[in-house]
Amino acid sequence: MTVAVFKEDGDDDEFRHITYVVAVADPAEAVKMTIAESGAKAAMLNCPIEEEQLQRLGVKPGRLMVVHDEQIDPLMSRRRRHH
């Protein structure tokens, strides 16, 4: 999932992109989780990810994790669990 959020220190036209990996089967639920986490108004589904890739990333079912954010590197920043 990719979202664009407005930069806190920029003007109203500046935003940054954040990409999440979301380990849920339902794309609509993945969108809801990502929007809730990021505070964005919309999210874009990039592509499905295979279970093996999720395991390599260490993402467990029902969780999401930032894999890219212009403000942070390296990519693997945090994992969240949503109920």
Side-chain angles (χ1 to χ4, degrees):
M1 304 296 308
T2 299
V3 297
V5 294
F6 288 102
K7 292 182 178 181
E8 293 175 16
D9 56 351
D11 60 35
D12 289 341
D13 294 333
E14 291 187 77
F15 58 90
R16 62 189 172 97
H17 289 100
I18 304 172
T19 304
Y20 293 82
V21 62
V22 186
V24 295
D26 180 11
E29 182 63 23
V31 169
K32 289 178 191 176
M33 288 173 63
T34 305
I35 289 172
E37 172 67 23
S38 67
K41 295 185 179 175
M44 178 179 74
L45 178 62
N46 300 75
C47 64
I49 190 166
E50 300 294 323
E51 186 175 343
E52 182 180 304
Q53 293 170 307
L54 291 171
Q55 290 173 348
R56 266 188 273 147
L57 291 169
V59 182
K60 297 190 189 295
R63 295 186 181 211
L64 64 90
M65 181 175 75
V66 173
V67 291
H68 175 74
D69 183 340
E70 296 168 4
Q71 292 185 338
I72 56 173
D73 262 324
L75 297 179
M76 310 302 189
S77 63
R78 64 180 191 235
R79 296 180 187 124
R80 302 276 179 155
R81 177 159 183 84
H82 288 264
H83 303 283

